[in-house]
Amino acid sequence: MNFWASIVASQTTLLTGLWNTISSSLLAIAISTVVGILFGIILAYGNRIVKIPFRIYVDVIRGIPGLVIVFSVYYFIDFWLRSIGFALPPFAAGFIALSVNAGAHVTENVRGALQSIPKGQIDAGKAIGMRFGQILWYILIPQAVVRMLPPWLNTITEIVKGSSLLALIGVAELLLTTQQLIAKYNNALFYYAYVGVIYLIINVAIESVGKYAEKKIGRGINA
Amino acid sequence: MSQNLLEIRSLEKWFGKLQVFSDVDLDIRQGEVVSIIGSSGSGKTTLLRCINLLEPFQKGTIRLNGEEIGYKEVGARRVRLPESLIARQRIHTGMVFQQFNLFPHMTVLKNVTLGLTKVQKLSAADARAQAEKWINRVGLADKINAYPSQLSGGQQQRVAIARAIAMNPLVMLFDEATSALDPELVGEVLQVIKELAQDGNTMILVTHEMRFAYEISDKVIFMDKGKVAKVGTPKEIFEDRDLPRLQEFLSTFNVDLGGRRAEDRDH
Ligand SMILES: Nc1ncnc2c1ncn2[C@@H]1O[C@H](COP(=O)(O)OP(=O)(O)OP(=O)(O)O)[C@@H](O)[C@H]1O
Ligand SMILES: [Mg+2]
C-alpha cells in the first residue's frame, strides 16, 4: 500500500481513537469538576477535622505521577472487582483514574479561588440576612468561577494530554491507535506528528472557548 | 417591653487571649443617632460587629426590640444560636462597612435587590421598585445598571447604604463609612447619612469625622482601653473637662466646634 492510501485507510481507526480520547476526557472533566467543587468548598469553609481526609487526598494525588495513578487505579480496582467476580474494562478504569487525578487539581483550583475572595463579601452577605448556603451560591461561587476559570482550563488540557496514559492499560485512545497504525504501516515520524497536531487542535479549541467564556462571565470582576 | 430599641449589658469580647472590651453597657432609643469615637484599636469596629452578630462575644447580652439576640440561656449555660436563626436576627440590623463590600459581579440594582428577593422573598417587581426608590434616594438613578468597579468610592458607599437601608432594618450600623474615601468624596456620603438621620432612622456611627458626629448625634460614646469611658451629649463629650484621655484624643483632631463660620454651618 502506498503512503497516501495508508493514510486514507487509517482515518477510521484514528477516529475511534479520537472518540475514546474525547469521551474519556469529557467524563473525567465532568466528574473531576463536580468532585473538585464539592471538595474545594469543604477545604475552603469546612471544619478543621472534617477537612483532614480531603486535604490528604489532594496532597497525596498531587504528589504522585499521573502514570502511577492510572496503574494503581487500574490494578487496585481490577483486583478488588475480580475478587467479587467482575472484570473492569480498561476504559472505565481509565476515566476513573483521570478523574481521581484531575479531581485533586480542581479541588485546589476551587479552594484557592474561594479563599482569594475578600472576607468582607461573606460579611456583606451575612449583614443582609443571608444564610451561608445563599452566600455561597449567589456571592462566592459566581466570583470563584471567574477566578478559577484559567486554572480550570489548564487542568482540562492536562486531562486531555493525560488521557494518552490510558494507552498503557490498553485503552484504544488516540495514542494507542496511532501506535497500532505505525505497527501496520510504519512511518512513525509522520503518525506521531499527525497525532500531535490533533492534540494541539483540541487544546487550542479548549483555550479559545475558555478565553471567550472568561470575557463573558467576568463582567464587573475582570473589568 | 422596654422602651429601648437596643440594650447592651455587660458585653465582653475576647479574641483568643486579647480582651477587646468589657463591661460595655449601651441603651439606644428608637430614632436616636449615636456616634462611637475612640482611638484606633479601642474596639469600635468589633462592637458594631458584635451587635450585627458577625462576631461572637463571651459575656453579656444584646437585646433588640426586647428580644435577646445571638445567644440563649440553656439552664446555666449560654449557647450561641444556630446560624440559621442568627441570619434571621441579622435582618433587623443593617451594616455599612468601611470598605463598602459591594458584590462586584452584580450591578447596582442587583446589589440592592439581592437581599430583598432572597431574604425578604419579595417578588422581582416589588424588590425592583423598593431598590429603585433607595437608589434614587442616594442619588444614583443613572448608575442603576453599572457595576461597582465603574463607580467612584463615594458612589459605591452610597450603593452600600442603599443596600442596607432597603432591607428596612431597625438599626443602621455605620463603620467608618467615609474613612476609605478620597477627601473630596466624603461630603456626598455624609450628606446621605445625615438625611437618613433626619428621617428618624435609628443609627450607630463609628466615625473619625468629629464635626459630623458633633452635629448629627444625640449621644456620643467615647471608647478607651476596652471600656466605654464616657457617654454624653455631643456637647458633654466635646467640651469635656474631666477626662484627660478624651481631651488628648480630641486634641488630635483639630475639632473646631465653637468658632464655626456661618457658611460651614449650612452643610
Ligand atoms: N479578627 C481579629 N482577630 C484578632 N484580633 C482582632 C481581630 N479584629 C480586631 N482585633 C483586635 O481587636 C482590637 C480592636 O479592634 P477594632 O478593629 O475593633 O478597633 P477599632 O476601634 O475599630 O480601630 P480602628 O479605629 O483602627 O478601626 C485591636 O487590638 C485589634 O487588633
Ligand atoms: Mg475600626
Side-chain angles (χ1 to χ4, degrees):
Chain A
M1 202 185 285
N2 76 25
F3 176 67
W4 293 110
S6 70
I7 289 172
V8 172
S10 42
Q11 291 311 306
T12 22
T13 317
L14 274 176
L15 223 55
T16 336
L18 181 62
W19 169 244
N20 281 333
T21 290
I22 290 178
S23 54
S24 61
S25 298
L26 282 178
L27 280 166
I29 290 165
I31 294 169
S32 66
T33 301
V34 172
V35 163
I37 289 174
L38 233 75
F39 290 10
I41 290 172
I42 292 169
L43 280 186
Y45 304 115
N47 160 303
R48 215 159 15 117
I49 313 273
V50 171
K51 284 198 275 201
I52 293 171
F54 299 95
R55 190 74 257 167
I56 291 173
Y57 160 67
V58 169
D59 290 347
V60 166
I61 294 298
R62 294 200 316 153
I64 297 177
L67 184 57
V68 177
I69 295 169
V70 170
F71 279 134
S72 322
V73 169
Y74 183 47
Y75 288 114
F76 177 76
I77 299 185
D78 194 52
F79 175 77
W80 176 71
L81 278 179
R82 266 177 218 285
S83 70
I84 55 172
F86 284 100
L88 184 70
F91 181 84
F95 79 76
I96 291 170
L98 285 179
S99 306
V100 167
N101 190 12
H105 292 272
V106 180
T107 299
E108 270 302 277
N109 298 164
V110 172
R111 184 200 58 78
L114 286 171
Q115 286 184 335
S116 73
I117 298 170
K119 182 84 180 35
Q121 292 288 305
I122 298 178
D123 290 341
K126 285 180 174 175
I128 53 173
M130 297 182 100
R131 284 176 283 107
F132 190 71
Q134 296 178 308
I135 294 173
L136 201 57
W137 184 249
Y138 294 110
I139 300 171
L140 300 174
I141 289 179
Q143 294 185 60
V145 165
V146 178
R147 287 161 198 250
M148 69 165 276
L149 203 58
W152 184 68
L153 287 169
N154 200 33
T155 304
I156 289 183
T157 54
E158 289 301 326
I159 291 174
V160 174
K161 288 189 274 178
S163 68
S164 61
L165 296 175
L166 306 191
L168 294 157
I169 55 170
V171 178
E173 45 64 73
L174 257 183
L175 183 63
L176 188 60
T177 49
T178 303
Q179 286 167 342
Q180 288 164 351
L181 291 170
I182 291 169
K184 202 159 158 193
Y185 302 119
N186 255 313
N187 223 335
L189 192 61
F190 169 78
Y191 277 106
Y192 279 128
Y194 189 70
V195 79
V197 168
I198 295 177
Y199 277 117
L200 191 62
I201 291 171
I202 296 174
N203 282 333
V204 168
I206 292 171
E207 295 279 343
S208 26
V209 172
K211 286 267 146 50
Y212 177 76
E214 256 172 74
K215 261 201 214 113
K216 269 276 172 218
I217 64 172
R219 290 211 66 183
I221 298 176
N222 297 335
Chain B
M1 212 178 91
S2 74
Q3 61 166 31
N4 289 319
L5 183 62
L6 185 72
E7 224 173 61
I8 298 177
R9 289 289 173 271
S10 316
L11 204 66
E12 190 169 312
K13 168 69 185 170
W14 297 77
F15 281 117
K17 286 185 167 28
L18 172 76
Q19 189 183 57
V20 185
F21 50 70
S22 63
D23 304 315
V24 171
D25 293 308
L26 185 58
D27 289 319
I28 298 179
R29 286 193 306 275
Q30 171 75 44
E32 254 187 331
V33 176
V34 176
S35 293
I36 303 177
I37 61 172
S39 53
S40 182
S42 58
K44 307 179 297 294
T45 296
T46 307
L47 177 57
L48 283 196
R49 292 176 61 85
C50 287
I51 295 173
N52 206 15
L53 303 175
L54 291 172
E55 288 289 347
F57 45 92
Q58 285 69 28
K59 242 189 83 188
T61 56
I62 301 177
R63 292 176 163 277
L64 185 61
N65 221 0
E67 185 198 355
E68 179 172 357
I69 58 171
Y71 295 83
K72 67 171 181 226
E73 261 53 60
V74 179
R77 270 180 58 239
R78 175 177 176 276
V79 289
R80 190 166 161 90
L81 297 173
E83 274 302 309
S84 56
L85 263 182
I86 287 193
R88 208 176 308 160
Q89 294 178 334
R90 278 199 196 101
I91 299 172
H92 304 303
T93 48
M95 180 111 169
V96 174
F97 301 89
Q98 189 173 349
Q99 300 299 336
F100 329 138
N101 296 347
L102 291 181
F103 307 128
H105 58 301
M106 294 179 184
T107 61
V108 167
L109 179 66
K110 202 68 208 306
N111 263 277
V112 182
T113 55
L114 186 68
L116 296 172
T117 53
K118 305 306 173 199
V119 177
Q120 298 196 344
K121 313 282 184 200
L122 296 189
S123 72
D126 288 351
R128 192 188 167 104
Q130 176 94 336
E132 278 176 347
K133 180 182 102 187
W134 284 108
I135 293 167
N136 288 346
R137 278 288 304 275
V138 300
L140 291 170
D142 56 330
K143 298 289 183 191
I144 199 158
N145 291 316
Y147 284 88
S149 58
Q150 299 165 323
L151 303 179
S152 74
Q155 291 170 331
Q156 290 188 48
Q157 192 59 298
R158 280 144 65 196
V159 175
I161 292 171
R163 175 176 69 182
I165 190 91
M167 299 293 289
N168 199 19
L170 295 171
V171 187
M172 281 285 285
L173 310 170
F174 293 85
D175 185 16
E176 297 195 35
T178 59
S179 292
L181 298 176
D182 292 337
E184 73 270 21
L185 301 176
V186 169
E188 63 189 59
V189 173
L190 293 184
Q191 183 56 37
V192 167
I193 297 175
K194 193 171 180 176
E195 285 167 19
L196 294 181
Q198 287 162 349
D199 288 351
N201 288 291
T202 311
M203 26 205 246
I204 307 178
L205 308 149
V206 168
T207 185
H208 287 304
E209 298 285 337
M210 294 301 151
R211 262 285 298 278
F212 185 69
Y214 182 82
E215 289 174 1
I216 199 181
S217 312
D218 299 303
K219 195 148 83 185
V220 178
I221 291 165
F222 173 57
M223 287 187 73
D224 185 41
K225 294 186 177 156
K227 305 269 179 198
V228 171
K230 181 165 179 170
V231 184
T233 62
K235 220 169 154 47
E236 285 165 350
I237 294 287
F238 288 100
E239 292 170 13
D240 171 84
R241 293 283 170 269
D242 319 318
L243 208 59
R245 292 279 303 176
L246 174 54
Q247 290 154 28
E248 191 186 316
F249 170 73
L250 289 173
S251 71
T252 58
F253 283 93
N254 270 328
V255 215
D256 178 14
L257 303 166
R260 275 177 295 150
R261 286 165 301 155
E263 70 258 32
D264 279 351
R265 212 179 301 219
D266 295 335
H267 296 290

